[in-house]
Amino acid sequence: MLQQWLLYICAGLALAIFVGLRWKRRKFYAAAATMDGPWSLPFIGHIHHIFGKRSGENILQVIDRYAPRYKSPIGLWMGPILIVGIKDNPEYFQTVLNSPHLLNKLDQYKFFTIVNGLFAAPDHAWKQERKLLNRSFSPSMLSSFVEIFNAKDFIMVDKLRKYVGKGEMNLHLHIAKCTIDSIFGTSFGKDMNTQGHDGADDYLHSLDTFFSLVFKRMLSIERYPLFLYRLTKDYKTETNCINAIRNMSNDLMRQLKQHSKEAKTVSTEDTLERKPPQNFVDNLYDLAESNPSLTEEHIQDHIDTMIVAGHDTTATTMSNLLLMLAMHPEVQEMVYQEVMNTCPDKEKPVSIEDANNLVYTEMVCKETMRLFPVGPLIGRECTADVKLDEKHTIPAGCSVVLGIYHLHRDPNIWGPKPEEFNPDNFLPEKVASRHPYAYLPFSGGPRNCIGIRYAWLSMKILIAHLVRNYRFRTSLKMEDLEVNFSIILRITNGCLVSIEAR
């Protein structure tokens, strides 16, 4: 009899807790009821759809299976957490990315322990630091980088000569080393000569592994508590990766501190006026003098973010771009003709004016980033109710995930064959007729990528150097390509091309 009463009491308590939680979260349930989405289970919601899915390839399969069936906004429950998914309707993207209540990144971004700068900073810190750091990417600052871009690109062109006529190879490592060289030269004023030795190989491998492990953790709710994650083998592997990645920035920090001491010694002995900041890190230290909140730790966070985000996104896009040129020889020939009409001398650097005149080349870059956006998903936390339209409201306290990858392949925007590579998608008349938030390779709104102009300039200069020296071919076809969500979208086939001298 006593056991029966205890059973009734436990059942009553469980029911009371369930009803209480439902009442407390009634706004979430009301909002979700207006949204599209797959069927869910009590308590666990939609988690069963991703059971056993711990890699980017598997998650992409799930997304591809369900995404075409539903219209935005899509209500998804990860246990008690409501996630609002948006994968189409540029108006919704514009509303979310410009809302002052959706500036904070998802809480899971804290797992990116090595990129705690502008990438993952909370909105109050981001607003202040973004405003201060904007001058690091001003037109005058970018103009001063052109000489460094050219110097590093000349090195890469020379390094590739030994592979001419040697068959297909994956060029990504060479491209990544070149972009790291450029980042250190332009943003930090240091010549690390990563193209001249194999020291960067371990760094690049560690970075790729780190991103994969972070993404795996984001898909594994049981790994969210740090004390549980520390019990896994992946935690030890991730720690080793972080140490390898941080070694590079630690070495840089030591050099910068020494340089700073020497500069101060010179300045005290010299009566000349103080020079303005010359690059990103000079700007950081200059700002730190008048902003006590910009501590040494914050400076290193910004440096790590610049190294990681700055080179990896550009290197991945450049690898994808070269592969697209190799797969589409008629497009490669048009790029080559434009480059030769603009800056034909292989021995001369590409000027900023030359880069600005590579209009078709930029269209090819944009089409590559449409099909393979390096940031396929964007996650934000909602701090106050945000109205999408008369029917749908994003309630405060939920998470929002924006599917850039699927927006860029929406047939309602890009036509009946959106998966085809077609640079004409970026003809001026087509761009003018399209919603400005239908194409978001660098995100959008106030929290877009701070290095947009840096990326475009560096990529166009590098592609000009490469195509005027070499012709690229590949046996891969578009239907052969496989992509992987690992925070950054990657083509798992790699940049598999053969090289011929022009």
Side-chain angles (χ1 to χ4, degrees):
M1 188 70 176
L2 180 60
Q3 290 179 339
Q4 189 173 11
W5 275 105
L6 287 173
L7 184 62
Y8 288 152
I9 291 171
C10 290
L13 285 173
L15 179 61
I17 292 171
F18 176 74
V19 172
L21 287 174
R22 292 282 300 193
W23 174 255
K24 186 178 180 180
R25 305 176 71 79
R26 62 192 182 279
K27 283 182 65 175
F28 287 178
Y29 290 105
T34 69
M35 300 176 185
D36 209 353
W39 60 279
S40 64
L41 294 173
F43 300 108
I44 67 170
H46 297 91
I47 291 178
H48 61 286
H49 292 292
I50 60 171
F51 275 152
K53 310 297 193 251
R54 294 293 184 263
S55 70
E57 295 97 332
N58 290 335
I59 288 300
L60 186 58
Q61 290 173 9
V62 173
I63 294 174
D64 283 342
R65 184 188 312 143
Y66 290 106
R69 305 180 189 179
Y70 307 102
K71 286 290 184 182
S72 302
I74 301 170
L76 300 169
W77 289 97
M78 295 292 107
I81 301 171
L82 174 62
I83 299 176
V84 177
I86 297 175
K87 66 174 185 67
D88 47 45
N89 195 331
E91 289 286 345
Y92 290 167
F93 279 84
Q94 184 172 19
T95 298
V96 168
L97 291 173
N98 286 281
S99 171
H101 308 305
L102 284 158
L103 289 174
N104 280 323
K105 299 291 184 76
L106 286 182
D107 190 52
Q108 288 87 343
Y109 279 60
K110 67 185 179 185
F111 300 153
F112 293 97
T113 51
I114 57 171
V115 284
N116 289 323
L118 288 176
F119 176 73
D123 62 346
H124 62 276
W126 164 80
K127 287 177 183 177
Q128 179 186 16
E129 293 176 4
R130 170 67 181 252
K131 185 177 181 180
L132 294 172
L133 292 172
N134 271 335
R135 68 184 187 184
S136 299
F137 298 94
S138 66
S140 60
M141 197 73 80
L142 289 176
S143 296
S144 70
F145 295 161
V146 172
E147 182 180 350
I148 298 171
F149 288 146
N150 277 285
K152 301 306 180 184
D153 295 349
F154 275 126
I155 294 173
M156 182 177 172
V157 167
D158 186 58
K159 292 287 182 184
L160 293 184
R161 295 195 194 284
K162 62 183 177 182
Y163 300 108
V164 171
K166 297 296 179 62
E168 291 186 338
M169 61 172 295
N170 188 351
L171 281 188
H172 180 73
L173 180 60
H174 293 276
I175 295 169
K177 286 184 174 184
C178 181
T179 56
I180 289 179
D181 254 359
S182 293
I183 285 286
F184 275 98
T186 56
S187 297
F188 308 121
K190 292 293 178 183
D191 185 4
M192 303 299 282
N193 189 28
T194 54
Q195 296 185 84
H197 56 80
D198 297 330
D201 295 18
D202 183 46
Y203 171 85
L204 294 168
H205 174 72
S206 296
L207 186 61
D208 195 42
T209 303
F210 172 78
F211 279 142
S212 297
L213 292 175
V214 170
F215 191 68
K216 182 178 179 180
R217 187 181 178 192
M218 292 175 76
L219 299 174
S220 311
I221 294 177
E222 72 278 4
R223 294 184 174 210
Y224 282 17
L226 183 57
F227 75 94
L228 290 178
Y229 187 47
R230 281 177 172 162
L231 301 176
T232 67
K233 291 182 179 179
D234 285 348
Y235 175 77
K236 183 177 180 180
T237 303
E238 182 182 309
T239 302
N240 292 335
C241 290
I242 291 172
N243 291 336
I245 295 166
R246 278 268 161 86
N247 282 341
M248 184 171 283
S249 61
N250 287 336
D251 288 344
L252 177 63
M253 288 286 285
R254 282 192 290 270
Q255 293 183 40
L256 292 173
K257 286 178 183 178
Q258 181 62 33
H259 176 74
S260 178
K261 289 179 181 178
E262 293 171 357
K264 285 181 179 179
T265 301
V266 172
S267 65
T268 57
E269 298 172 352
D270 201 340
T271 57
L272 294 176
E273 291 185 6
R274 180 182 175 188
K275 291 183 179 180
Q278 300 298 302
N279 52 42
F280 178 79
V281 77
D282 286 346
N283 200 3
L284 271 177
Y285 279 112
D286 186 57
L287 294 171
E289 291 186 9
S290 56
N291 294 272
S293 61
L294 201 57
T295 64
E296 198 75 15
E297 183 180 356
H298 288 143
I299 289 174
Q300 180 156 19
D301 284 340
H302 284 299
I303 288 174
D304 281 325
T305 300
M306 176 58 69
I307 297 172
V308 173
H311 101 269
D312 202 27
T313 53
T314 304
T316 300
T317 299
M318 274 302 307
S319 294
N320 298 343
L321 174 56
L322 271 187
L323 185 60
M324 290 301 101
L325 292 179
M327 291 173 63
H328 302 88
E330 72 287 353
V331 173
Q332 183 177 176
E333 183 61 24
M334 291 178 69
V335 169
Y336 172 70
Q337 292 299 332
E338 182 179 63
V339 169
M340 296 308 288
N341 287 333
T342 305
C343 44
D345 193 335
K346 299 178 182 180
E347 304 301 320
K348 287 186 177 181
V350 180
S351 70
I352 195 167
E353 292 78 15
D354 294 335
N356 290 335
N357 289 328
L358 297 177
V359 178
Y360 183 73
T361 302
E362 183 169 319
M363 289 167 56
V364 176
C365 292
K366 288 180 176 179
E367 177 67 355
T368 300
M369 295 192 77
R370 178 185 74 83
L371 289 173
F372 308 103
V374 288
L377 298 172
I378 297 174
R380 300 285 175 86
E381 297 285 355
C382 189
T383 58
D385 291 358
V386 174
K387 188 175 182 179
L388 287 177
D389 54 30
E390 294 303 319
K391 183 180 179 182
H392 304 109
T393 296
I394 301 173
C398 76
S399 301
V400 180
V401 174
L402 302 176
I404 306 297
Y405 179 83
H406 287 87
L407 174 73
H408 285 185
R409 292 171 178 250
D410 186 344
N412 294 318
I413 300 171
W414 303 97
K417 296 181 178 179
E419 71 284 352
E420 291 186 356
F421 182 81
N422 181 14
D424 286 352
N425 280 318
F426 292 93
L427 288 168
E429 60 271 23
K430 290 192 175 183
V431 173
S433 65
R434 201 161 49 233
H435 194 287
Y437 279 73
Y439 179 66
L440 298 166
F442 296 100
S443 185
R447 198 158 185 174
N448 66 343
C449 175
I450 193 173
I452 295 175
R453 290 178 296 185
Y454 181 101
W456 285 130
L457 182 60
S458 64
M459 286 192 294
K460 288 200 287 184
I461 291 176
L462 178 54
I463 200 65
H465 278 284
L466 292 175
V467 299
R468 70 185 184 181
N469 281 276
Y470 303 113
R471 180 181 289 106
F472 301 93
R473 300 185 189 276
T474 183
S475 60
L476 291 173
K477 307 295 181 186
M478 289 294 286
E479 57 269 23
D480 299 328
L481 301 185
E482 298 179 358
V483 296
N484 176 26
F485 278 14
S486 182
I487 309 305
I488 288 177
L489 182 75
R490 303 185 191 278
I491 297 176
T492 54
N493 309 72
C495 182
L496 195 64
V497 299
S498 60
I499 308 173
E500 301 173 7
R502 286 193 184 273

